[in-house]
Amino acid sequence: MDVLKREFIYLWYYITILLEQIFPYWLMGMVIGSVVSVFGKERIHRLFAGMQGKKWGIFGIIPACILGIASPLCMYGTIPIAASFSEKGMRQDWLAAFMMASILLNPQLIVYSAALGSVALIVRVVSCFLCGIAAGLLVRFFYREKPFFDFTGFGEAKSRDTDPNVVLRLLKNFGRNVKATGVYFLFGILLTAMFQRYVPTDAFVSLFGKNEGFGVLMAATLGVPLYACGGGTIPLLQEWLMDGMSMGSAASFMITGPATKITNLGAMKIVLGIKRFILYLLFVMVFSLITGLLINSFI
């Protein structure tokens, strides 16, 4: 009993320290995400829709990525929007860039990632942006004359932010965000506390150290089963980086995680079909590995 009590005290100590470090970023992310969703979401989507008919060609992929990152919607919210754009004739490469960037990053996740430090934040934003660019380019060059997406059955979803009172509308959106991410955030804190207590630092460094190409591969692979919510993985990533995880390995995890999150995979399987879905998975894994190795070469 004394042993269990002691272990509980140790874990509680780690949990309180982690909450002090991470909770302000999580809370700020919730607030900013709700503000963007309530006051900026429609404008972001109007800007993307306004690209229709512009003769920007390949360069339109760039603003499509930026708007995808700025969009606060999850993938199941993004697909109906993308479907409506597709019906109006939006280019497939622009749609691919918008959707890929939207999968990987959003305003809330940017705020969460600030807890990892400025270098990790920049790495995340730049690598996710470039991943969206790469997705758009590949669709442009290999699916120029044939369809890549199939949005059959999808229509634009009705907004849930409809309360006439602005304050109540914002509070309701904030409540939905907390409900959607709170459990994952607390689970991430608990998992990180257990990692700090029971996983030897030396063993972790030997696996994910800077000069270990295998570490990048392992981090990319771990992103598949471990990633459930962006806020929930921030405590883990913070601890891993402190214990010696290379920035390249962290970048690989931050790409494969959201891209292969189970809900996102389900959505992508619906709109891509099995063959293009497999291509999507291969693209994510290859891009994350190359990105991780390049980052380790320079950082």
Side-chain angles (χ1 to χ4, degrees):
M1 185 62 67
D2 290 339
V3 174
L4 290 176
K5 183 178 180 180
R6 185 174 66 250
E7 291 302 313
F8 176 80
I9 292 173
Y10 277 128
L11 285 175
W12 181 250
Y13 169 77
Y14 288 130
I15 288 171
T16 54
I17 295 297
L18 286 166
L19 283 173
E20 289 178 6
Q21 294 173 340
I22 305 294
F23 181 78
Y25 293 97
W26 177 77
L27 183 61
M28 191 183 307
M30 292 292 98
V31 172
I32 291 176
S34 293
V35 170
V36 172
S37 183
V38 171
F39 300 109
K41 177 177 62 180
E42 298 300 328
R43 177 169 177 78
I44 291 168
H45 294 156
R46 282 199 303 270
L47 286 172
F48 188 48
M51 291 173 56
Q52 180 68 30
K54 302 288 186 181
K55 297 181 179 181
W56 293 344
I58 195 171
F59 296 104
I61 292 173
I62 296 173
C65 277
I66 295 173
L67 292 172
I69 290 172
S71 175
L73 294 178
C74 67
M75 181 44 48
Y76 274 101
T78 298
I79 285 180
I81 295 293
S84 68
F85 292 151
S86 179
E87 288 179 1
K88 298 171 184 175
M90 181 68 73
R91 294 168 54 115
Q92 288 197 120
D93 52 346
W94 295 1
L95 276 175
F98 177 84
M99 291 179 66
M100 189 77 245
S102 182
I103 288 174
L104 296 177
L105 206 55
N106 57 50
Q108 288 178 215
L109 195 49
I110 291 174
V111 176
Y112 296 155
S113 301
L116 303 176
S118 58
V119 174
L121 175 61
I122 292 171
V123 164
R124 180 163 216 168
V125 173
V126 172
S127 61
C128 291
F129 174 76
L130 292 178
C131 190
I133 294 289
L137 290 174
L138 288 173
V139 169
R140 175 181 176 84
F141 290 122
F142 291 101
Y143 282 85
R144 184 190 296 267
E145 304 298 335
K146 48 187 176 180
F148 186 74
F149 299 105
D150 180 9
F151 293 111
T152 304
F154 282 96
E156 188 168 352
K158 293 182 179 180
S159 174
R160 299 172 67 183
D161 298 312
T162 56
D163 196 295
N165 186 300
V166 174
V167 175
L168 288 178
R169 190 158 72 238
L170 187 62
L171 289 174
K172 287 179 179 179
N173 188 283
F174 179 80
R176 290 195 298 270
N177 283 337
V178 171
K179 184 178 179 180
T181 65
V183 172
Y184 295 110
F185 173 73
L186 293 176
F187 179 73
I189 292 288
L190 176 61
L191 194 62
T192 305
M194 295 177 68
F195 177 87
Q196 288 180 320
R197 176 61 180 158
Y198 301 115
V199 177
T201 301
D202 292 342
F204 185 83
V205 172
S206 66
L207 182 61
F208 294 103
K210 182 172 183 177
N211 296 319
E212 296 287 341
F214 181 70
V216 176
L217 176 61
M218 284 296 296
T221 306
L222 277 174
V224 178
L226 277 184
Y227 201 100
C229 169
T233 56
I234 294 300
L236 273 175
L237 276 169
Q238 184 187 58
E239 179 61 25
W240 289 349
L241 287 168
M242 289 175 61
D243 281 352
M245 182 184 224
S246 70
M247 191 58 68
S249 295
S252 293
F253 182 88
M254 289 188 287
I255 292 170
T256 60
T260 59
K261 188 170 70 171
I262 189 65
T263 51
N264 287 343
L265 286 182
M268 294 305 291
K269 170 62 172 61
I270 294 171
V271 300
L272 294 180
I274 187 62
K275 291 183 179 179
R276 293 185 296 276
F277 177 70
I278 292 173
L279 290 175
Y280 166 78
L281 292 178
L282 289 174
F283 163 72
V284 168
M285 293 303 296
V286 171
F287 184 90
S288 67
L289 287 173
I290 293 174
T291 299
L293 293 173
L294 287 175
I295 289 173
N296 277 349
S297 299
F298 293 102
I299 297 180

